[in-house]
Amino acid sequence: MKTIGHFIDGKRVDGRSGRFKDIYDPNTGAVQARVAMATPAELDAAVASAAAAQMAWANTNPQRRSRVLFAYKALVDQHMDELADLLSREHGKVLADSRGDVIRGLDVIEFACGVPHAQKGEHTYGAGPEIDVYSMRKPLGVVAGITPFNFPAMIPMWMFGMAIAAGNAVILKPSEKDPSVPMRLCELFVEAGGPAGLLQCVNGDKEIVDAICDHETIKAVSFVGSSDIAQYVYSRATANGKRAQCMGGAKNHGIIMPDANMDQAAKDILGAAYGSAGERCMALPVVVPVGEGTAERFLDALLPKIDAMTVGTSTDPDADYGPVVTQAHKESIEADIDRAVEEGATVVRDGRGFILQGHEDGFFVGPTLLDDVTPDMQTYHEEIFGPVLQIVRAKDFEAALRLPSEHQYGNGVAIFTANGRVAREFADRVEVGMVGINVPIPVPVSYHSFGGWKRSAFGSANQYGMEGLRFYTKVKTVTQRWPEGETEDSAFIIPTF
Ligand code: NAD
């Protein structure tokens, strides 16, 4: 059986704890590998190597740092097929979507290549008599990234792209469910000319996450995962004096105004609800048709599209989506559908008990559509994270606006309409961090930044873009003067200009 260890000091090493977790092939249900769970001592070794590498890297001029990132981007591009294949086989998303996972991560690496410009400080000539003031953005030192299973390429690159560009070293702690791509991304960094120790991968579970939050040398923790864990990591890391940005779960709404192009909205929502088996924090698992008759018109457009979808293995080029990540997750999605039915939702399409011929033990869930969902239902408030779309009808714009605004999560939201004025007002007033107007999955491009509101994010810094650069740097401001000869007597009051 293949065993995955860690990536420390520029090479793969075996785990020493004797503790492992199984990695499944979600297409067949079989265990395909196991991954070692690190101990705090193994983390110490990684941090020591990272700290040594970081000192030299921080003193490497930004243009040279950028060149390593350019080379890295080209190398990851060359390995696209290999990475996508590895990703699909562990995660279960289809190959085209796995490529998208890598490409959206590479977008951040590409942005990070602009670090010589982005990390320039500010300068004021003549802030006082012969006084100049300048500020610089210094790296923090060793930082950590803790990532979820659902984007094993993109989310690590969100973090280490920005952190490394800014002069930090990174300890990555990927999801134990699909660690192979993050491990390979670390290996390729060294092949691209990155210094050994600058980017390391320490695999593990809660024990190592706790050790990261407590480690004195680690200065910042970036986390993406479910909300309860995000809040826990945020509390623990900040209690230890670290910076933390911790992104959590989501329940994104798609508002369908009566004037929307129904066919286009149905197409967009189909992909956003069921793509990647709904395992995306920017999926659209709730649709809100607004006004009399809108739900019926929307369903007329949507149902034939649901019925034409193909669920298949992650390596089947004809599949629209593949299996979910584990048997436990499949069971939890099916239990949520059971609960929704008990709460009074109407099952329009039922994906429970879905069997893919020849893959009877795979973790497949069929497309599910629940109508007549109401805001008092528990299953409306919770994240299901599967191929389940819930319809909540709203009588008018104000009622529709309240739903995402009052929901515990505030990651993304989309509105489908032909009326720019309505869209503009919605974007302004909705209490959600990322808004799409006729765009179902509004994940911001790499030179903006990603972040939700409410229980979708703890901490104030967004991921990537200039927000990411600010998170991974601290500002030092220098006030200088070079007077000729002696100046005036000592001043006992604070200098004023
Ligand atoms: P998860 O919370 O189970 O795991 C995330 C990370 O936390 C993993 O590295 C895991 O090993 C670690 N972890 C798990 N249990 C822990 C514990 N008790 N103590 C400390 N660490 C622990 O999340 P997941 O199932 O891997 O990913 C899916 C979740 O991530 C969904 O809720 C999804 O919405 C969310 N997500 C959010 C975003 C975002 O940017 N807001 C992006 C992607 C995914």
Side-chain angles (χ1 to χ4, degrees), residues 280-350:
R280 290 183 183 137
C281 68
M282 288 296 273
L284 267 191
V286 179
V287 159
V288 183
V290 180
E292 195 78 16
T294 307
E296 287 68 25
R297 289 195 295 127
F298 173 68
L299 282 172
D300 283 348
L302 182 72
L303 287 174
K305 295 185 192 343
I306 293 182
D307 295 337
M309 261 193 315
T310 305
V311 181
T313 63
S314 60
T315 49
D316 174 356
D318 295 326
D320 292 307
Y321 75 82
V324 300
V325 68
T326 56
Q327 176 67 21
H329 192 45
K330 173 183 156 82
E331 285 167 13
S332 129
I333 295 165
E334 293 190 334
D336 283 341
I337 302 171
D338 292 344
R339 276 200 304 145
V341 175
E342 282 159 27
E343 290 182 307
T346 306
V347 185
V348 184
R349 290 292 180 273
D350 192 348

Coordinates of all heavy atoms in Angstrom, one line a residue, residues 280-350:
R280 N -18.2 22.6 -2.9 CA -17.5 23.9 -3.1 C -18.1 24.9 -2.1 O -19.3 25.0 -2.0 CB -17.7 24.5 -4.5 CG -17.1 23.7 -5.6 CD -17.4 24.5 -6.9 NE -16.9 23.8 -8.1 CZ -17.6 23.7 -9.2 NH1 -18.8 24.2 -9.3 NH2 -17.1 23.1 -10.2
C281 N -17.2 25.7 -1.5 CA -17.7 26.7 -0.6 C -18.4 27.8 -1.3 O -19.0 28.6 -0.8 CB -16.5 27.3 0.3 SG -15.4 28.2 -0.7
M282 N -18.2 27.9 -2.7 CA -18.9 28.9 -3.5 C -20.0 28.3 -4.3 O -20.4 28.9 -5.3 CB -17.9 29.7 -4.3 CG -17.1 30.7 -3.4 SD -18.0 32.0 -2.6 CE -18.0 33.2 -3.9
A283 N -20.4 27.0 -4.0 CA -21.5 26.4 -4.7 C -22.8 27.2 -4.4 O -22.8 28.1 -3.5 CB -21.7 25.0 -4.2
L284 N -23.8 27.0 -5.2 CA -25.1 27.7 -4.9 C -26.1 26.6 -4.5 O -26.9 26.1 -5.4 CB -25.6 28.3 -6.2 CG -25.2 29.8 -6.5 CD1 -26.0 30.3 -7.7 CD2 -25.4 30.7 -5.3
P285 N -26.2 26.3 -3.3 CA -27.1 25.2 -2.9 C -28.5 25.7 -2.5 O -29.4 24.9 -2.2 CB -26.5 24.6 -1.6 CG -25.7 25.7 -1.0 CD -25.3 26.6 -2.2
V286 N -28.8 27.0 -2.6 CA -30.1 27.5 -2.3 C -30.5 28.5 -3.5 O -29.8 29.3 -3.9 CB -30.1 28.4 -1.0 CG1 -31.5 28.9 -0.8 CG2 -29.7 27.6 0.2
V287 N -31.7 28.2 -4.0 CA -32.2 29.1 -5.0 C -33.5 29.8 -4.5 O -34.3 29.1 -3.8 CB -32.6 28.3 -6.3 CG1 -33.6 29.0 -7.2 CG2 -31.3 28.1 -7.1
V288 N -33.6 31.1 -4.7 CA -34.7 31.9 -4.2 C -35.5 32.5 -5.4 O -35.1 33.6 -5.8 CB -34.2 33.0 -3.2 CG1 -35.4 33.7 -2.6 CG2 -33.3 32.4 -2.1
P289 N -36.5 31.8 -5.9 CA -37.3 32.5 -7.0 C -38.2 33.5 -6.3 O -38.8 33.3 -5.3 CB -38.1 31.3 -7.5 CG -37.6 30.1 -6.9 CD -36.9 30.5 -5.6
V290 N -38.2 34.7 -7.0 CA -38.9 35.8 -6.4 C -40.2 36.1 -7.1 O -40.2 36.3 -8.3 CB -38.0 37.1 -6.4 CG1 -38.8 38.3 -5.7 CG2 -36.7 36.8 -5.7
G291 N -41.3 36.2 -6.3 CA -42.6 36.6 -6.9 C -43.4 35.4 -7.5 O -42.9 34.3 -7.6
E292 N -44.7 35.7 -7.8 CA -45.7 34.7 -8.2 C -45.2 34.0 -9.5 O -44.8 34.7 -10.5 CB -47.0 35.5 -8.5 CG -48.2 34.6 -8.6 CD -48.7 34.1 -7.3 OE1 -48.4 34.7 -6.2 OE2 -49.5 33.2 -7.3
G293 N -45.2 32.7 -9.6 CA -44.9 32.0 -10.9 C -43.5 31.9 -11.3 O -43.2 31.2 -12.2
T294 N -42.6 32.6 -10.6 CA -41.1 32.5 -11.0 C -40.6 31.1 -10.7 O -39.8 30.6 -11.5 CB -40.3 33.6 -10.2 OG1 -41.0 34.8 -10.4 CG2 -38.9 33.7 -10.7
A295 N -41.0 30.5 -9.6 CA -40.4 29.2 -9.3 C -40.8 28.2 -10.3 O -40.0 27.4 -10.8 CB -41.0 28.7 -7.9
E296 N -42.1 28.3 -10.8 CA -42.6 27.3 -11.8 C -41.8 27.5 -13.1 O -41.4 26.5 -13.7 CB -44.1 27.5 -12.0 CG -45.0 27.0 -10.9 CD -44.9 27.8 -9.6 OE1 -44.5 29.0 -9.7 OE2 -45.2 27.2 -8.5
R297 N -41.6 28.7 -13.5 CA -40.9 29.0 -14.8 C -39.4 28.5 -14.6 O -38.9 28.0 -15.6 CB -40.9 30.5 -15.1 CG -42.4 30.9 -15.6 CD -42.3 32.3 -16.2 NE -41.9 33.3 -15.3 CZ -41.0 34.2 -15.6 NH1 -40.3 34.2 -16.7 NH2 -40.7 35.1 -14.7
F298 N -38.8 28.8 -13.5 CA -37.5 28.3 -13.2 C -37.4 26.8 -13.3 O -36.5 26.2 -13.9 CB -36.9 28.9 -11.9 CG -35.6 28.4 -11.5 CD1 -34.5 28.7 -12.2 CD2 -35.5 27.5 -10.5 CE1 -33.2 28.2 -11.9 CE2 -34.2 27.0 -10.1 CZ -33.1 27.3 -10.9
L299 N -38.3 26.1 -12.6 CA -38.3 24.7 -12.6 C -38.5 24.1 -14.0 O -37.9 23.0 -14.3 CB -39.4 24.1 -11.6 CG -39.0 24.3 -10.1 CD1 -40.2 23.9 -9.2 CD2 -37.8 23.3 -9.8
D300 N -39.3 24.7 -14.8 CA -39.5 24.2 -16.1 C -38.2 24.2 -16.9 O -37.9 23.3 -17.7 CB -40.5 25.1 -16.9 CG -42.0 24.8 -16.5 OD1 -42.2 23.8 -15.8 OD2 -42.8 25.6 -16.8
A301 N -37.4 25.2 -16.6 CA -36.1 25.3 -17.3 C -35.1 24.3 -16.7 O -34.2 23.8 -17.4 CB -35.6 26.7 -17.3
L302 N -35.1 24.2 -15.4 CA -34.1 23.4 -14.6 C -34.3 21.9 -14.7 O -33.3 21.2 -14.9 CB -34.1 23.9 -13.2 CG -33.0 23.2 -12.3 CD1 -31.6 23.7 -12.7 CD2 -33.3 23.4 -10.8
L303 N -35.5 21.4 -14.6 CA -35.7 20.0 -14.4 C -35.1 19.2 -15.6 O -34.4 18.2 -15.4 CB -37.2 19.6 -14.2 CG -37.6 20.0 -12.8 CD1 -39.1 19.8 -12.6 CD2 -36.8 19.2 -11.7
P304 N -35.4 19.6 -16.9 CA -34.8 18.8 -18.0 C -33.3 18.8 -17.9 O -32.7 17.8 -18.3 CB -35.3 19.5 -19.3 CG -36.4 20.5 -18.8 CD -36.2 20.7 -17.4
K305 N -32.7 19.8 -17.4 CA -31.2 19.9 -17.4 C -30.7 18.9 -16.3 O -29.7 18.3 -16.4 CB -30.8 21.3 -17.1 CG -31.1 22.3 -18.2 CD -30.5 23.7 -17.9 CE -31.0 24.8 -18.8 NZ -31.7 24.5 -20.1
I306 N -31.5 18.9 -15.2 CA -31.0 17.9 -14.1 C -31.1 16.5 -14.6 O -30.2 15.7 -14.5 CB -31.9 18.1 -12.8 CG1 -31.7 19.4 -12.2 CG2 -31.7 16.9 -11.9 CD1 -32.5 19.6 -10.9
D307 N -32.2 16.3 -15.4 CA -32.4 14.9 -15.8 C -31.4 14.5 -16.9 O -31.2 13.3 -17.2 CB -33.9 14.7 -16.3 CG -34.9 14.9 -15.2 OD1 -34.4 14.7 -14.0 OD2 -36.0 15.2 -15.4
A308 N -30.8 15.5 -17.6 CA -29.9 15.2 -18.6 C -28.4 15.1 -18.1 O -27.5 14.8 -18.8 CB -29.9 16.3 -19.7
M309 N -28.3 15.3 -16.8 CA -26.9 15.3 -16.2 C -26.3 13.9 -16.1 O -27.1 12.9 -15.9 CB -26.9 15.9 -14.8 CG -26.5 17.3 -14.7 SD -26.1 17.9 -13.1 CE -27.5 17.3 -12.1
T310 N -25.0 13.8 -16.2 CA -24.4 12.4 -16.1 C -23.5 12.4 -14.8 O -22.6 13.3 -14.7 CB -23.5 12.2 -17.3 OG1 -24.3 12.3 -18.5 CG2 -22.9 10.8 -17.3
V311 N -23.9 11.5 -14.0 CA -23.0 11.3 -12.8 C -22.1 10.1 -13.1 O -22.6 9.1 -13.6 CB -23.8 11.0 -11.5 CG1 -22.9 10.8 -10.3 CG2 -24.8 12.1 -11.3
G312 N -20.8 10.3 -13.0 CA -19.9 9.2 -13.4 C -18.6 9.2 -12.5 O -18.5 10.0 -11.6
T313 N -17.7 8.4 -12.9 CA -16.4 8.4 -12.1 C -15.7 9.7 -12.4 O -15.9 10.3 -13.5 CB -15.5 7.2 -12.5 OG1 -15.2 7.3 -13.9 CG2 -16.2 5.9 -12.3
S314 N -14.7 10.0 -11.6 CA -14.0 11.3 -11.7 C -13.1 11.3 -13.0 O -12.7 12.3 -13.4 CB -13.2 11.6 -10.5 OG -12.3 10.5 -10.3
T315 N -12.8 10.1 -13.5 CA -12.0 10.1 -14.7 C -12.8 9.9 -16.0 O -12.2 9.7 -17.1 CB -10.9 8.9 -14.6 OG1 -11.6 7.7 -14.2 CG2 -9.9 9.2 -13.5
D316 N -14.1 9.8 -15.9 CA -15.0 9.7 -17.0 C -15.1 11.1 -17.7 O -15.7 12.0 -17.1 CB -16.3 9.1 -16.5 CG -17.3 9.0 -17.7 OD1 -17.1 9.5 -18.8 OD2 -18.4 8.5 -17.4
P317 N -14.6 11.2 -18.9 CA -14.7 12.6 -19.5 C -16.2 13.0 -19.8 O -16.4 14.2 -20.0 CB -14.0 12.4 -20.9 CG -13.8 10.9 -21.1 CD -14.0 10.2 -19.8
D318 N -17.1 12.1 -19.8 CA -18.5 12.5 -20.0 C -19.3 12.8 -18.8 O -20.4 13.2 -18.8 CB -19.3 11.3 -20.7 CG -18.7 11.1 -22.1 OD1 -18.2 12.1 -22.8 OD2 -18.6 9.9 -22.5
A319 N -18.7 12.6 -17.6 CA -19.4 12.8 -16.4 C -19.5 14.3 -16.1 O -18.5 15.1 -16.3 CB -18.7 12.1 -15.2
D320 N -20.6 14.8 -15.6 CA -20.8 16.2 -15.1 C -20.2 16.3 -13.7 O -19.6 17.4 -13.4 CB -22.2 16.6 -15.2 CG -22.7 16.7 -16.6 OD1 -22.0 17.4 -17.4 OD2 -23.7 16.1 -17.0
Y321 N -20.5 15.3 -12.9 CA -19.8 15.3 -11.6 C -19.6 13.9 -11.1 O -20.2 13.0 -11.7 CB -20.5 16.2 -10.6 CG -21.8 15.6 -10.0 CD1 -21.8 14.7 -8.9 CD2 -23.1 16.0 -10.4 CE1 -23.0 14.2 -8.4 CE2 -24.2 15.6 -9.9 CZ -24.2 14.7 -8.8 OH -25.3 14.2 -8.3
G322 N -18.7 13.8 -10.2 CA -18.2 12.4 -9.7 C -18.7 12.2 -8.3 O -19.7 12.8 -7.8
P323 N -18.0 11.3 -7.6 CA -18.4 10.9 -6.3 C -18.0 12.0 -5.3 O -17.2 12.8 -5.6 CB -17.6 9.6 -6.0 CG -16.4 9.8 -6.9 CD -16.8 10.5 -8.1
V324 N -18.6 11.9 -4.1 CA -18.2 12.7 -3.0 C -17.0 12.1 -2.3 O -16.6 11.0 -2.6 CB -19.3 13.0 -2.0 CG1 -20.5 13.7 -2.7 CG2 -19.8 11.8 -1.2
V325 N -16.4 12.8 -1.4 CA -15.0 12.4 -1.0 C -14.9 11.2 -0.1 O -13.9 10.4 -0.3 CB -14.3 13.6 -0.3 CG1 -15.0 13.9 1.1 CG2 -12.8 13.5 -0.2
T326 N -15.9 10.9 0.7 CA -15.8 9.7 1.6 C -17.2 9.1 1.8 O -18.2 9.7 1.6 CB -15.2 10.0 3.0 OG1 -16.1 11.0 3.6 CG2 -13.8 10.5 3.0
Q327 N -17.2 7.9 2.3 CA -18.4 7.2 2.6 C -19.1 8.0 3.7 O -20.3 8.1 3.7 CB -18.1 5.7 3.0 CG -19.3 4.9 3.5 CD -20.4 4.7 2.4 OE1 -20.0 4.7 1.2 NE2 -21.6 4.4 2.8
A328 N -18.3 8.4 4.7 CA -19.0 9.2 5.8 C -19.6 10.4 5.3 O -20.7 10.8 5.8 CB -17.9 9.6 6.8
H329 N -19.0 11.1 4.3 CA -19.6 12.3 3.8 C -20.9 12.0 3.0 O -21.9 12.7 3.1 CB -18.7 13.1 2.9 CG -19.1 14.5 2.6 ND1 -19.7 15.3 3.5 CD2 -19.2 15.2 1.4 CE1 -20.0 16.4 3.0 NE2 -19.7 16.4 1.7
K330 N -20.9 10.9 2.2 CA -22.1 10.4 1.5 C -23.2 10.2 2.5 O -24.3 10.6 2.3 CB -21.7 9.1 0.7 CG -22.9 8.5 0.0 CD -22.5 7.2 -0.6 CE -23.6 6.2 -0.8 NZ -24.4 6.4 -2.0
E331 N -22.9 9.5 3.6 CA -23.9 9.2 4.6 C -24.5 10.5 5.2 O -25.7 10.6 5.5 CB -23.4 8.2 5.6 CG -23.3 6.8 5.1 CD -22.4 5.9 6.0 OE1 -22.1 6.3 7.2 OE2 -22.0 4.8 5.5
S332 N -23.6 11.4 5.4 CA -24.1 12.7 6.1 C -25.0 13.5 5.1 O -26.0 14.0 5.5 CB -22.8 13.5 6.6 OG -22.9 14.8 6.2
I333 N -24.6 13.5 3.8 CA -25.5 14.2 2.9 C -26.9 13.5 2.8 O -27.9 14.1 2.8 CB -24.9 14.2 1.4 CG1 -23.6 15.0 1.5 CG2 -25.8 14.7 0.4 CD1 -22.6 14.7 0.2
E334 N -26.9 12.1 2.8 CA -28.1 11.4 2.7 C -29.0 11.6 3.9 O -30.2 11.7 3.9 CB -27.9 10.0 2.3 CG -27.3 9.8 0.9 CD -27.2 8.4 0.4 OE1 -27.1 7.4 1.2 OE2 -27.2 8.2 -0.8
A335 N -28.3 11.7 5.1 CA -29.0 11.9 6.3 C -29.6 13.3 6.3 O -30.7 13.5 6.9 CB -28.1 11.8 7.5
D336 N -28.9 14.3 5.8 CA -29.5 15.7 5.7 C -30.7 15.7 4.8 O -31.7 16.4 5.1 CB -28.4 16.6 5.1 CG -27.4 17.0 6.2 OD1 -27.7 16.9 7.4 OD2 -26.3 17.5 5.8
I337 N -30.7 14.9 3.7 CA -31.9 14.8 2.8 C -33.0 14.2 3.6 O -34.2 14.7 3.6 CB -31.6 14.1 1.5 CG1 -30.4 14.7 0.8 CG2 -32.8 14.0 0.6 CD1 -29.9 13.9 -0.4
D338 N -32.8 13.2 4.4 CA -33.8 12.5 5.2 C -34.4 13.6 6.2 O -35.6 13.7 6.3 CB -33.2 11.4 6.1 CG -32.8 10.2 5.3 OD1 -33.2 10.1 4.2 OD2 -32.0 9.4 5.9
R339 N -33.5 14.4 6.8 CA -34.0 15.4 7.8 C -34.8 16.5 7.1 O -35.8 16.9 7.6 CB -32.8 16.0 8.5 CG -32.3 15.2 9.6 CD -31.5 16.0 10.6 NE -30.4 16.7 9.9 CZ -29.9 17.9 10.1 NH1 -30.5 18.6 11.1 NH2 -28.9 18.4 9.5
A340 N -34.4 16.9 5.9 CA -35.1 17.9 5.1 C -36.6 17.4 4.8 O -37.5 18.1 5.0 CB -34.4 18.2 3.8
V341 N -36.7 16.1 4.5 CA -38.0 15.5 4.2 C -38.8 15.5 5.5 O -40.0 15.9 5.5 CB -37.8 14.1 3.6 CG1 -39.2 13.5 3.4 CG2 -37.1 14.2 2.3
E342 N -38.2 15.1 6.6 CA -38.9 15.1 7.9 C -39.4 16.6 8.2 O -40.5 16.7 8.8 CB -38.0 14.6 9.0 CG -37.9 13.1 9.1 CD -36.6 12.7 9.8 OE1 -36.2 13.5 10.7 OE2 -36.1 11.6 9.5
E343 N -38.6 17.6 7.8 CA -38.9 18.9 8.2 C -40.0 19.5 7.2 O -40.5 20.6 7.4 CB -37.7 19.8 8.0 CG -36.7 19.6 9.1 CD -35.5 20.6 9.0 OE1 -34.9 20.6 7.9 OE2 -35.2 21.2 10.0
G344 N -40.4 18.7 6.2 CA -41.5 19.2 5.3 C -41.1 19.6 3.9 O -41.9 20.1 3.2
A345 N -39.8 19.4 3.5 CA -39.4 19.8 2.2 C -40.0 18.8 1.2 O -40.2 17.6 1.6 CB -37.9 19.8 2.1
T346 N -40.3 19.2 0.0 CA -40.8 18.3 -1.1 C -39.6 17.8 -1.9 O -38.9 18.6 -2.4 CB -41.8 19.1 -2.0 OG1 -42.8 19.7 -1.2 CG2 -42.4 18.2 -3.0
V347 N -39.5 16.5 -2.1 CA -38.4 16.0 -2.9 C -38.9 15.9 -4.3 O -39.7 15.2 -4.7 CB -38.1 14.5 -2.4 CG1 -36.8 14.0 -3.2 CG2 -37.8 14.5 -0.9
V348 N -38.2 16.7 -5.1 CA -38.5 16.8 -6.6 C -37.6 15.8 -7.3 O -38.0 15.1 -8.2 CB -38.4 18.2 -7.1 CG1 -38.8 18.3 -8.6 CG2 -39.2 19.2 -6.3
R349 N -36.4 15.8 -6.9 CA -35.5 14.8 -7.4 C -34.7 14.2 -6.2 O -34.2 15.0 -5.4 CB -34.4 15.4 -8.4 CG -35.0 15.8 -9.8 CD -35.5 14.6 -10.6 NE -36.1 15.0 -11.9 CZ -37.4 15.4 -12.0 NH1 -38.2 15.4 -11.0 NH2 -37.8 15.8 -13.2
D350 N -34.6 12.9 -6.2 CA -34.0 12.2 -5.0 C -32.7 11.5 -5.4 O -32.7 10.5 -6.1 CB -35.0 11.2 -4.5 CG -34.7 10.7 -3.1 OD1 -33.5 11.0 -2.6 OD2 -35.6 10.1 -2.4

